Amino acid sequence: MDIKTATALRRLRLVSAPEAVSFLILLVCSVLKRTTEFDAVRPMGMIHGVLFILYVIFWADAWNRTKWSKKTAAIYFVLSVLPTGGFFADRKLKREAEDAVIAARARREGKVNA
């Protein structure tokens, strides 16, 4: 995996958890708006909107660089629209990055030993 691909995956990971948290907070704010006088939906909606847009941009960049299959790309996109999906995306991306590092080390050691 080259550095640009690793960076794209890292950016996607960095935004996935905050996007999931903002989605959950937005849901709580929506309930509070309807049950109390507390109304933070507008500012929280804006924060979540920015994080969601960043997620989609980083998702598209990661898809382009990693050459994911359409199924894998769709899974990561669907995870972005589920309330806790960002946490699962982060976990899957971390595993994918670790596997890529292990594969790169194996290739490097194979070249050194050859």
Side-chain angles (χ1 to χ4, degrees):
M1 177 182 307
D2 67 340
I3 191 72
K4 290 184 179 185
T5 303
T7 302
L9 289 174
R10 187 167 191 275
R11 278 194 307 249
L12 185 58
R13 272 194 69 211
L14 286 175
V15 79
S16 65
E19 191 271 337
V21 169
S22 72
F23 195 176
L24 293 173
I25 293 172
L26 180 59
L27 291 175
V28 169
C29 288
S30 295
V31 170
L32 290 175
K33 178 181 179 180
R34 282 151 183 56
T35 59
T36 68
E37 296 295 317
F38 183 76
D39 184 11
V41 172
R42 176 163 288 189
M44 198 61 234
M46 291 170 62
I47 292 168
H48 173 67
V50 168
L51 288 170
F52 179 75
I53 289 169
L54 285 173
Y55 184 96
V56 172
I57 290 169
F58 295 157
W59 165 81
D61 184 40
W63 183 12
N64 183 43
R65 293 187 187 281
T66 60
K67 306 299 184 218
W68 286 328
S69 66
K70 288 182 181 179
K71 179 183 175 186
T72 301
I75 288 170
Y76 283 118
F77 186 79
V78 168
L79 287 174
S80 74
V81 296
L82 298 175
T84 57
F87 299 121
F88 295 107
D90 180 53
R91 190 177 320 155
K92 284 179 66 69
L93 288 165
K94 182 178 181 182
R95 227 177 291 134
E96 187 174 325
E98 289 170 350
D99 291 345
V101 168
I102 291 168
R105 285 182 182 161
R107 280 193 306 270
R108 186 176 43 201
E109 289 175 4
K111 288 180 182 178
V112 172
N113 292 337

